[in-house]
Amino acid sequence: MAVERTLSIIKPDATRRNLTGKIITKFEEAGLKVVASRRLRLSQADAEAFYGVHKERPFFKDLVSFMISGPVVVQVLEGEGAIQKNRDVMGATNPANAAAGTIRKEFAESIEANSAHGSDAPETAANEIKFFFRDLDIVG
Ligand code: IDP
Ligand code: MG
């Protein structure tokens, strides 16, 4: 399994409840390393662009409103099979279906306010990392 990089976002429901450290600990305990990190507030245009793939979905407007409702922490995670590993640590989109011990099972408030985002494939990971970070900002 190759060393990969993936994009993680700690979402506004989690920053609001001061859960940043607890979520990062889950990544680190799974062997993922934080190689870039920034706390920021997304603009509406940023959130619409980032989630552009979902623009036809019924939940798109609410999702954008939620994602701009407070600060987020965007991070690049690095490790063996990091893309799938991050998805495994996050758990299913709907916390009701998420496995025990996952971020979404332990922390998510709802299917929308589900505490974390993770890239879903190598191409999206590369594009999502570029959306937030320059190469110089990433130190492995
Ligand atoms: P993922 O984050 O697990 O990859 P996606 O299907 O890519 O899930 O959806 C992106 C985000 O949109 C989810 O993390 C969640 O915040 C929100 N979302 C997905 N499905 C629903 C829904 O049915 N209702 C409300 N929000 C949703
Ligand atoms: Mg997704």
Side-chain angles (χ1 to χ4, degrees):
M1 178 67 67
V3 173
E4 295 175 335
R5 287 175 173 173
T6 190
L7 186 88
S8 164
I9 305 179
I10 300 177
K11 294 186 179 182
D13 67 288
T15 60
R16 179 167 31 81
R17 289 174 290 147
N18 210 21
L19 293 170
T20 305
K22 287 197 169 113
I23 289 174
I24 294 170
T25 296
K26 294 275 193 196
F27 299 140
E28 292 180 341
E29 285 177 350
L32 293 165
K33 184 171 166 185
V34 177
V35 295
S37 181
R38 197 158 94 244
R39 183 175 171 106
L40 58 97
R41 190 142 180 174
L42 291 167
S43 69
Q44 175 148 343
D46 292 334
E48 285 173 355
F50 185 82
Y51 277 118
V53 65
H54 293 308
K55 66 176 177 298
E56 306 303 335
R57 307 281 286 275
F59 58 80
F60 180 69
K61 249 186 108 185
D62 282 349
L63 174 62
V64 168
S65 301
F66 162 63
M67 289 300 292
I68 66 175
S69 68
V72 297
V73 177
V74 295
Q75 302 193 109
V76 179
L77 305 178
E78 183 182 85
E80 295 276 324
I83 296 166
Q84 186 59 47
K85 193 175 275 183
N86 182 34
R87 302 279 310 180
D88 292 345
V89 173
M90 288 196 303
T93 307
N94 186 344
N97 303 328
T102 60
I103 288 167
R104 285 162 165 177
K105 183 67 176 187
E106 287 192 16
F107 303 125
E109 295 180 319
S110 67
I111 189 171
E112 177 181 84
N114 59 5
S115 303
H117 166 85
S119 309
D120 60 9
E123 198 188 340
T124 42
N127 289 335
E128 290 179 0
I129 289 169
K130 260 190 252 145
F131 190 91
F132 290 108
F133 295 100
R134 301 174 307 163
D135 286 349
L136 273 174
D137 296 326
I138 306 169
V139 184

